[in-house]
């Protein structure tokens, strides 16, 4: 009995001694943490996505305070987060452009050809190990949802047609879905961008159309200077490349696409037209507005009144008539809110 009691006492004394030593050591060797680090970490999304280049949100906060990373590096935090970090650091922070993911493919189960039926692991990287994947188009989405699994914000979902869809309001532009795609068809574009080309096949004509009904065939209609006078759509090889500046500069080009390869996520109101100002462009074979309008029968010329006639129901709001009209009979109208695929409706 004495042995048991003695053992307990000895262990207790040892515990007290070592506890005192550890307490002393923690005070002597304590590393002070800059309070700004904790404050910055508290305002971060906490996704630990790594888009900033740091291993975690805490590591990012630490790197920012130490000057190793810029304060606007947190992509999910956006401009608002960068501003709050600037307040903590006592400096002005330049806002970075908010980005979002865009799936550059419209060739789902209904539109694209399959080489074979894939029954393996539901992972895009795994599918590529088998003859490069089941899609006949080498640049098409495999539709197995690796991007969905990679997104920590539930901003990417698979639709019934076997394609991933991105919810712009949930997407933070972290880029994890971009890294998760083995075919590189997901890109980050400006968050305010509502029109983009959903095809990355650099082929032309039958090379593309043989494997996908909505693939870009390189016809160049969208990049024609008459269609896109701003020059915001240009051809690089046989594939159009967009300069993301203004949605309205792209609407006519997207409408002219013969294969419906563009994604349009915004509805445009009709332009305002003051028919009283129209003089019919008497020095031209037909009014300039009628000549440049990409929508058939949207603008027509009335031989009796010698004036242009506008169908507001057919107008897509490209505003080519606004810039061409010599008497200012047309005025632009602001975009409508909400997502409507008006181009598909009016074709």
């Amino acid at each position: 009995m004495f042995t048991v009691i003695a053992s307990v006492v000895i262990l207790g004394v040892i515990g007290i001694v070592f506890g005192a030593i550890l307490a002393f050591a923690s005070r002597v060797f304590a590393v002070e943490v800059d309070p700004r680090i904790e404050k910055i970490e508290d305002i971060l999304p906490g996704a630990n996505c790594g888009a900033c280049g740091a291993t975690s949100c805490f590591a990012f906060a630490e790197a920012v305070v130490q000057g190793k990373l810029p304060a606007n590096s947190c992509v999910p935090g956006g401009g608002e987060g960068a501003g709050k970090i600037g307040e903590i650091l006592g400096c002005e922070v330049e806002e970075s452009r908010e980005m979002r993911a865009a799936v550059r493919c419209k060739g789902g189960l209904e539109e694209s050809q399959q080489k074979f039926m894939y029954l393996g692991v539901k992972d895009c990287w795994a599918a590529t190990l088998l003859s490069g994947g089941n899609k006949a188009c080498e640049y098409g989405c495999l539709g197995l949802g690796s991007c969905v699994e990679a997104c920590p914000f539930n901003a990417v979902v698979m639709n019934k047609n076997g394609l991933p869809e991105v919810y712009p309001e949930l997407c933070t532009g972290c880029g994890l879905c971009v890294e998760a795609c083995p075919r590189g068809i997901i890109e980050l574009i400006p968050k305010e961008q509502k029109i983009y080309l959903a095809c990355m096949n650099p082929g032309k004509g039958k090379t593309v159309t043989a494997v996908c009904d909505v693939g870009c065939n390189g016809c160049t209609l969208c990049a024609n200077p008459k269609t896109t006078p701003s020059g915001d759509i240009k051809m690089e090889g046989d594939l159009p490349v967009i300069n993301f500046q203004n949605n309205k500069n792209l609407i006519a080009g997207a409408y002219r696409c013969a294969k419906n390869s563009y994604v349009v996520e915004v509805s445009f109101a009709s332009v305002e037209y003051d028919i009283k100002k129209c003089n019919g462009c008497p020095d031209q074979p037909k009014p300039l507005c009628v000549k440049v309008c990409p929508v058939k029968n949207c603008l027509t010329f009335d031989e009796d009144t010698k004036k242009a006639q506008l169908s507001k129901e057919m107008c897509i709001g490209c505003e080519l008539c606004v810039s061409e009209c010599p008497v200012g009979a047309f005025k632009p109208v602001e975009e409508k809110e909400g997502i409507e695929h008006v181009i598909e409706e009016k074709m």
Side-chain angles (χ1 to χ4, degrees):
M1 185 66 180
F2 174 78
T3 304
V4 174
I5 295 174
S7 299
V8 172
V9 171
I10 292 171
L11 288 174
V13 171
I14 292 174
I16 293 172
V17 172
F18 275 102
I21 293 173
L22 290 174
F24 176 76
S26 66
R27 288 179 176 273
V28 174
F29 300 105
V31 178
E32 290 189 13
V33 177
D34 192 319
R36 295 178 298 174
I37 295 176
E38 293 183 357
K39 289 181 180 179
I40 292 175
E41 186 184 17
D42 288 340
I43 65 173
L44 296 176
N48 296 317
C49 61
C52 59
T55 55
S56 65
C57 289
F58 177 81
F60 166 75
E62 191 175 37
V64 168
V65 171
Q66 294 173 354
K68 296 179 180 179
L69 282 176
N72 60 1
S73 297
C74 179
V75 180
E80 183 180 354
K84 290 180 179 179
I85 293 174
E87 292 177 5
I88 294 171
L89 297 177
C91 63
E92 290 187 8
V93 177
E94 183 180 347
E95 287 191 20
S96 57
R97 195 174 191 182
E98 291 191 41
M99 307 294 280
R100 53 160 285 203
V103 180
R104 296 279 308 277
C105 177
K106 291 181 73 175
L109 299 174
E110 297 177 359
E111 299 86 4
S112 61
Q113 301 295 319
Q114 307 284 320
K115 290 190 294 185
F116 54 85
M117 183 178 291
Y118 176 74
L119 300 175
V121 179
K122 197 173 182 180
D123 177 80
C124 297
W125 287 94
T128 58
L129 298 176
L130 188 61
S131 300
N134 56 308
K135 281 283 183 73
C137 176
E138 297 179 6
Y139 305 89
C141 174
L142 294 172
L144 296 173
S146 293
C147 52
V148 176
E149 295 297 323
C151 180
F153 303 100
N154 298 319
V156 188
V157 297
M158 295 299 295
N159 63 23
K160 294 180 180 179
N161 197 25
L163 286 174
E165 287 188 4
V166 179
Y167 288 96
E169 65 275 12
L170 296 178
C171 180
T172 63
C174 68
L176 292 180
C177 58
V178 177
E179 297 176 6
C181 180
R183 290 199 163 179
I185 64 156
I186 303 179
E187 290 186 354
L188 294 181
I189 64 174
K191 197 152 193 173
E192 69 275 9
Q193 190 62 36
K194 305 297 182 183
I195 300 174
Y196 58 91
L197 180 70
C199 180
M200 299 190 73
N201 193 328
K204 186 176 182 179
K206 291 184 178 180
T207 304
V208 179
T209 57
V211 294
C212 183
D213 294 337
V214 291
C216 174
N217 61 4
C219 69
T220 74
L221 283 175
C222 61
N224 190 306
K226 293 182 180 179
T227 304
T228 312
S230 64
D232 286 336
I233 302 179
K234 293 184 178 180
M235 299 298 295
E236 286 191 7
D238 293 316
L239 203 62
V241 175
I242 293 176
N243 176 27
F244 294 124
Q245 296 295 332
N246 189 332
N247 285 308
K248 288 184 178 179
N249 289 350
L250 309 175
I251 188 72
Y255 179 85
R256 291 294 302 275
C257 179
K259 302 301 294 182
N260 193 25
S261 303
Y262 280 84
V263 170
V264 179
E265 297 176 338
V266 67
S267 174
F268 290 89
S270 169
V271 295
E272 290 292 340
Y273 174 47
D274 186 351
I275 195 171
K276 294 179 181 179
K277 290 184 177 180
C278 178
N279 63 2
C281 297
D283 57 337
Q284 300 289 331
K286 60 181 177 180
L288 293 175
C289 59
V290 176
K291 184 179 179 181
V292 299
C293 182
V295 183
K296 187 177 180 180
N297 296 327
C298 176
L299 274 167
T300 55
F301 181 60
D302 190 322
E303 292 289 349
D304 295 330
T305 62
K306 301 298 181 183
K307 292 180 180 291
Q309 303 293 323
L310 171 68
S311 171
K312 287 195 172 186
E313 291 73 22
M314 299 183 68
C315 179
I316 61 174
C318 67
E319 299 183 6
L320 293 179
C321 55
V322 176
S323 57
E324 285 294 323
C325 182
V327 295
F330 297 91
K331 290 184 179 180
V333 177
E334 293 299 318
E335 297 178 15
K336 294 178 182 177
E337 294 184 358
I339 295 177
E340 298 178 29
H341 295 270
V342 291
I343 285 185
E344 295 179 11
E345 294 172 2
K346 293 184 178 182
M347 284 186 70

